[in-house]
Amino acid sequence: MIVTKLEKIDTKRTKVYIDDEYAFMLYPQDIRRYRLEEHAGLSEEKYHEIMKETVIRRAKQKAMALLKRADRTEKELRLKLKQGEYPEAAIEEAVSYVMKYGYVDDERYLENYLFYKKGNKSKRIMEFELQQKGLSKEQIREQMEREEVNDEETIQKAIRKKIGTKSELSYEETQKVAAYLYRKGFKEDDIRKYLWNRVME
């Protein structure tokens, strides 16, 4: 293997390319420690040493730090590590490590999300956000059914928040509130059921 390029990203980070392909990110002290130089050879033994003792170790530390700040799904954690320029092999090791100890659990994340968000967001919005986090539609809907999540209370709460103590609304006011509710992900049938009966004759 040949170290074909050492690309400085800033004063603290350098991208290391091996055989013309990105391998990993290192700090200046790492470059000195492993005596890496452009166009110099790199043994398999040295490569694996760098990966195990530095890159993978830091990926695990980064994963733990990310999870300490906030609970995340597996997909979210992988994305954050990828954004940190960790190579795929290090990401796999880090994710496996935290999952082994139960620090990442998509089922638990889904349960907690629904516990805190239901009643404040429509089912459609919650489903969209959870799918963006890597959870499957089937998984989400099954959990919603188990927890009997529905939009009835949520849409009524949203209407009260929007119109205050008004018992009746003009046609124009109702249209504006209906558009707001639709943007929030509520179904047209529910909007008609819980909002349009307030329109003044």
Side-chain angles (χ1 to χ4, degrees), residues 2 30 35 41 75 82 87 99 139 149 153 155 174 198:
I2 303 294
D30 304 321
R35 298 177 182 177
K75 180 182 177 179
K82 191 175 184 65
M99 291 185 73
Q139 186 180 11
V149 177
E153 184 179 335
I155 192 171
T174 305
R198 296 171 181 270

Side-chain angles (χ1 to χ4, degrees), residues 120-125 158 179-186:
N120 295 309
K121 293 188 176 187
S122 67
K123 287 178 66 175
R124 188 179 295 174
I125 290 295
Y180 164 81
L181 294 172
Y182 189 77
R183 289 195 301 273
K184 290 294 182 181
F186 294 106

Side-chain angles (χ1 to χ4, degrees), residues 63-159:
M64 292 295 289
L66 288 166
L67 293 168
K68 190 175 182 180
R69 287 197 290 271
D71 199 12
R72 300 175 192 273
T73 62
E74 180 184 342
K75 180 182 177 179
E76 287 180 306
L77 182 60
R78 286 181 181 277
L79 181 59
K80 281 289 185 182
L81 291 172
K82 191 175 184 65
Q83 290 171 346
E85 300 289 355
Y86 290 97
E88 203 58 43
I91 293 173
E92 287 296 330
E93 288 278 355
V95 172
S96 295
Y97 175 79
V98 294
M99 291 185 73
K100 176 182 176 182
Y101 291 100
Y103 297 130
V104 169
D105 185 329
D106 284 359
E107 285 289 341
R108 184 185 67 222
Y109 184 96
L110 174 56
E111 290 174 11
N112 289 338
Y113 178 97
L114 292 178
F115 178 80
Y116 288 107
K117 302 295 184 182
K118 67 181 180 181
N120 295 309
K121 293 188 176 187
S122 67
K123 287 178 66 175
R124 188 179 295 174
I125 290 295
M126 289 192 291
E127 189 173 297
F128 173 78
E129 290 182 350
L130 288 165
Q131 285 186 72
Q132 293 295 104
K133 293 174 184 291
L135 299 168
S136 72
K137 186 181 290 187
E138 294 73 22
Q139 186 180 11
I140 296 163
R141 289 184 175 177
E142 284 176 10
Q143 188 62 33
M144 283 183 170
E145 285 182 16
R146 282 195 291 271
E147 298 197 21
E148 299 180 344
V149 177
N150 63 70
D151 276 343
E152 289 184 15
E153 184 179 335
T154 310
I155 192 171
Q156 291 180 75
K157 182 178 177 181
I159 292 170

